[in-house]
Amino acid sequence: MLFWHVPAPNEAMLISGSKRQAQDTQFRIVTGHGSFVMPIKQKARMLSLALREAEIVEDCVTQQGIRLRVRAVAVFKVGDDAVSIANAARRFLAEQDRMEELVGRIFAGHLRSIVGGLTVEQIIRERDRVAQEVKQGSHSEMEKLGIVVDALQIQEIDDATGYIDNLAAPHAAAVASQARIAQAKSDQEAAEREQQAAALKAEYERDTAIKRAGFHAETEQVNARAAQAGPLAEARYSQETIEEQTALAERQAQLAAQRLEAEVRRPADAEAYRQRTLAEAARDRAKYEADGGAYTERTLAQAQADANTARAASLKDGNQELIAANRIVENLPALADAASRGISGANLTVLNGTDGVNDMAAGLVGQGMAILNALRNGAPGADKGAGVNGKPSLRVTESN
């Protein structure tokens, strides 16, 4: 609206001409909200409550009589309460642009007063104390002006006489000496570290070169193996082919040997064994026949001798039984010869060699002796008569 005025958040609106007065002022203060201003009868003015900065540069003389140039900064603003706004409005409403200058002059006067009671060393070492004393010294005046000081900082202290430089010279020399020593140690450590770094770098380069050479050698070996892979594979294939052919030839030779063993050697060995066995059998048979014949002849000769002896004794004593036995004994050779011819034509197997033949011949002779005993015991065809000296006699009758 045309007659409705609203102050900014950092402003205070002063309405003069109003009969209503909330404070003990001749004008109404409005902050934070708007108000209706009647034209002609009332008039509205704005007072800035924003933060302001005053720069103070002042030549001061210390307690020791040394001249110093002090540079400070004061941060202030108009107070937010109605009394401070009213005090500031009465003093700065028409000269708000010069507020920093006016406040700076006030702070400059208090700064000269505070610095004059301190030494250079105190001012240098206790800057916060200087600022705090300046604020406390100007508090009553600032309150009358409606000003609130937020901060006061001593920024710089200049010494035209060189007192501060001379004061700091011993410390500066000591610090410089320590700095040179520290720099020398630092340079030495840096040199040692550079040497170590150079040694490590050389070692790394050596290891890198060795590894690179190893990689190059491995690469060359791989390339060589790759280049020889084809010929090696072909040679290996040829070798495997030769080995397979050799194995096949060996298997064929083994098979031929087995076939020769089965088809030629074993039948030949069997035939030779059969021939050898037949020859040995024929040899043994001839030997056995010869042994049997010799034994038979020896037995017959022995029997003939015994018969002749018995016959002589019988003829001498007139024993008829012995005469009959003599007749039998005379026929024993013919019986033995017939038996031997029967044995020679027979297919006999003699198990115990010469002993078997002897047993056979002994059996034949035994049969003859059995016949003789039968005649002695009164077999048919034999008569018992009185013999010589009253002994019974045996007579054998021959039949056609």
Side-chain angles (χ1 to χ4, degrees), residues 12 14 23 25 27 29 31 47-49 77-93 99 139 141-149:
L14 309 176
Q23 297 87 11
T25 59
F27 50 88
I29 301 172
T31 57
L47 177 64
S48 176
L49 304 180
K77 66 182 291 296
V78 177
D80 296 330
D81 58 296
V83 175
S84 297
I85 293 172
N87 292 336
R90 291 191 183 98
R91 292 168 176 82
F92 302 110
L93 184 59
M99 187 179 296
H139 176 70
E141 296 179 358
M142 294 295 110
E143 186 177 2
K144 292 179 181 179
L145 297 175
I147 301 299
V148 176
V149 179

Side-chain angles (χ1 to χ4, degrees), residues 319-333:
N319 193 346
Q320 296 296 324
E321 294 178 357
L322 291 177
I323 295 171
N326 186 31
R327 296 289 303 272
I328 295 172
V329 169
E330 290 176 353
N331 293 324
L332 280 177

Side-chain angles (χ1 to χ4, degrees), residues 39 54 56 80 84 133 140 147 158 167 178 260 271 281 292 323 363 365 380 385:
I56 305 167
D80 296 330
S84 297
E133 289 183 358
S140 60
I147 301 299
D158 294 333
L167 185 65
Q178 294 177 359
L260 179 63
E271 181 64 23
I323 295 171
V365 175

Side-chain angles (χ1 to χ4, degrees), residues 114-159:
I114 298 300
V115 169
L118 300 175
T119 63
V120 176
E121 289 81 355
Q122 291 176 338
I123 297 172
I124 294 173
R125 297 171 183 173
E126 301 176 3
R127 293 190 180 188
D128 292 339
R129 173 187 172 185
V130 175
Q132 191 66 25
E133 289 183 358
V134 171
K135 287 174 61 178
Q136 291 177 356
S138 61
H139 176 70
S140 60
E141 296 179 358
M142 294 295 110
E143 186 177 2
K144 292 179 181 179
L145 297 175
I147 301 299
V148 176
V149 179
D150 290 339
L152 177 63
Q153 295 292 333
I154 305 297
Q155 291 184 333
E156 186 179 355
I157 300 174
D158 294 333
D159 179 18

Side-chain angles (χ1 to χ4, degrees), residues 376-394:
R376 288 178 178 176
N377 293 329
D383 293 333
K384 291 183 180 180
V388 182
N389 298 325
K391 293 180 181 180
S393 61
L394 178 62

Side-chain angles (χ1 to χ4, degrees), residues 267-286:
D269 291 343
E271 181 64 23
Y273 179 76
R274 188 179 70 82
Q275 295 294 334
R276 186 170 59 254
T277 303
L278 292 175
E280 292 176 356
R283 181 195 62 193
D284 294 341
R285 180 179 178 183

Side-chain angles (χ1 to χ4, degrees), residues 31-45:
T31 57
H33 60 85
S35 177
F36 182 77
V37 179
M38 295 186 64
I40 302 174
K41 293 182 63 176
Q42 293 180 344
K43 188 174 182 179
R45 296 283 185 89

Side-chain angles (χ1 to χ4, degrees), residues 274-345:
R274 188 179 70 82
Q275 295 294 334
R276 186 170 59 254
T277 303
L278 292 175
E280 292 176 356
R283 181 195 62 193
D284 294 341
R285 180 179 178 183
K287 181 179 179 181
Y288 295 156
E289 289 178 355
D291 292 341
Y295 183 76
T296 302
E297 291 178 358
R298 287 194 305 272
T299 304
L300 290 177
Q302 184 65 35
Q304 185 68 33
D306 293 341
N308 291 332
T309 303
R311 184 185 299 169
S314 175
L315 293 176
K316 180 179 180 181
D317 296 335
N319 193 346
Q320 296 296 324
E321 294 178 357
L322 291 177
I323 295 171
N326 186 31
R327 296 289 303 272
I328 295 172
V329 169
E330 290 176 353
N331 293 324
L332 280 177
L335 293 174
D337 181 61
S340 64
R341 286 196 301 270
I343 291 173
S344 64

